[in-house]
Amino acid sequence: MTTAITRRDRRISPVFLGIVAVMAVSGWAVWTEFSVSVGFAVFLFVTSAWIVSLCLHEYAHARTALHSGDISIGAKGYLTLNPLKYTHALLSIVLPVLFVIMGGIGLPGGAVFIERGRIQGRWKHSLISAAGPLTNVLFAVVCTAPFWLGALDGVPDVFRYALGFLALLQVTAAILNFLPVPGLDGYGVIEPWLSYKIRRQVEPLAPFGLLLVFGVLWIPGVNHLFFDAVDAILRGLGVTEWDTYWGQQFYRFWQGDPDVPAITP
């Protein structure tokens, strides 16, 4: 039984530092256009930044659980930010990246195992669940800061588009995560406040919650409403549809670098 968190339990993983290094180098390549393919640089920058956000998402869950009473978190390696320590690396890393590549949507993850029996108090349980998507919200605020602060002078267009697309991913991830659907963080926020009977009735749906959400999003009308809401939030943060569109076009480097019109809004 784990009784204390050691320095080794808290040490940042070289795997995570490597991903951050890729993000920094590719971000520099996008900014300076120092790359044979600008699109490939955008792909590396956005993908590595997206993985970093996924790691921070899971870290937020783990760190909040630690301070709420689950001291087993340290021994599981969750505080190292190493994505290979997650119980479902496929769900937390591989699938989210594939969904970004295929559809430009931020897929919610969920791979840290928290021993809920160690934690007392409904507010603590709710906060643990909310910590992850709140990280996506914070990441979106950081990505859009140059837009809503009016600090885009001197920022290369392609880097601006990459930030806009990355912000789109963070906003979609935050919205989807906060949906009160079994299996998603939003349900985890309200679950402690539900009756035992209701929790037992919806518990079997948890493994299929994410599939249910994407099944519903496949309906054209729902899909349009969802992305209209995402676009409204991004516009409020200063990010235009022009930014996110061209960001995604550059991201799909396998289609060739896009020919952006010379005059931009």
Side-chain angles (χ1 to χ4, degrees):
M1 177 178 174
T2 303
T3 58
I5 304 295
T6 66
R7 181 176 296 181
R8 183 177 180 180
D9 294 333
R10 299 174 184 269
R11 188 177 300 152
I12 298 178
S13 164
V15 176
F16 179 77
L17 292 177
I19 298 170
V20 172
V22 172
M23 180 182 71
V25 172
S26 57
W28 170 81
V30 173
W31 184 282
T32 61
E33 296 189 14
F34 187 78
S35 174
V36 175
S37 169
V38 177
F40 184 64
V42 170
F43 174 82
L44 287 180
F45 172 62
V46 173
T47 300
S48 57
W50 174 236
I51 294 175
V52 166
S53 75
L54 292 173
C55 292
L56 292 174
H57 175 114
E58 303 301 345
Y59 176 83
H61 284 309
R63 189 77 186 192
T64 309
L66 172 65
H67 291 292
S68 298
D70 183 4
I71 59 176
S72 71
I73 289 297
K76 294 174 180 139
Y78 298 155
L79 301 179
T80 67
L81 290 161
N82 185 352
L84 301 179
K85 294 292 185 179
Y86 301 151
T87 54
H88 297 292
L90 175 66
L91 292 179
S92 278
I93 301 297
V94 178
L95 282 182
V97 170
L98 286 177
F99 266 81
V100 171
I101 292 173
M102 294 187 300
I105 189 170
L107 176 73
V112 293
F113 176 71
I114 297 169
E115 297 185 17
R116 295 279 182 169
R118 294 174 177 262
I119 300 166
Q120 302 297 320
R122 291 183 292 183
W123 281 107
K124 290 181 180 179
H125 285 282
S126 294
L127 184 57
I128 290 169
S129 295
L134 285 175
T135 302
N136 293 111
V137 172
L138 179 60
F139 215 101
V141 171
V142 172
C143 289
T144 58
F147 295 86
W148 50 266
L149 287 175
L152 288 169
D153 290 342
V155 176
D157 284 346
V158 178
F159 190 83
R160 167 180 175 160
Y161 302 150
L163 282 182
F165 182 52
L166 184 57
L168 169 70
L169 300 179
Q170 299 301 328
V171 171
T172 57
I175 293 175
L176 292 175
N177 265 290
F178 269 128
L179 292 177
V181 176
L184 300 183
D185 290 329
Y187 177 74
V189 172
I190 66 171
E191 183 183 24
W193 308 90
L194 301 177
S195 68
Y196 176 76
K197 181 180 179 181
I198 293 177
R199 294 201 304 268
R200 286 297 301 272
Q201 288 176 336
V202 301
E203 184 177 357
L205 299 176
F208 311 103
L210 191 57
L211 293 176
L212 175 63
V213 168
F214 280 98
V216 172
L217 281 177
W218 198 258
I219 302 172
V222 176
N223 185 276
H224 290 154
L225 286 175
F226 173 74
F227 279 102
D228 282 347
V230 171
D231 288 341
I233 293 172
L234 289 171
R235 284 196 300 271
L237 293 170
V239 181
T240 67
E241 188 177 350
W242 176 275
D243 297 315
T244 57
Y245 173 79
W246 288 113
Q248 187 172 22
Q249 294 307 304
F250 274 103
Y251 182 82
R252 295 174 172 172
F253 72 93
W254 53 90
Q255 298 177 352
D257 289 343
D259 185 16
V260 184
I263 300 177
T264 62

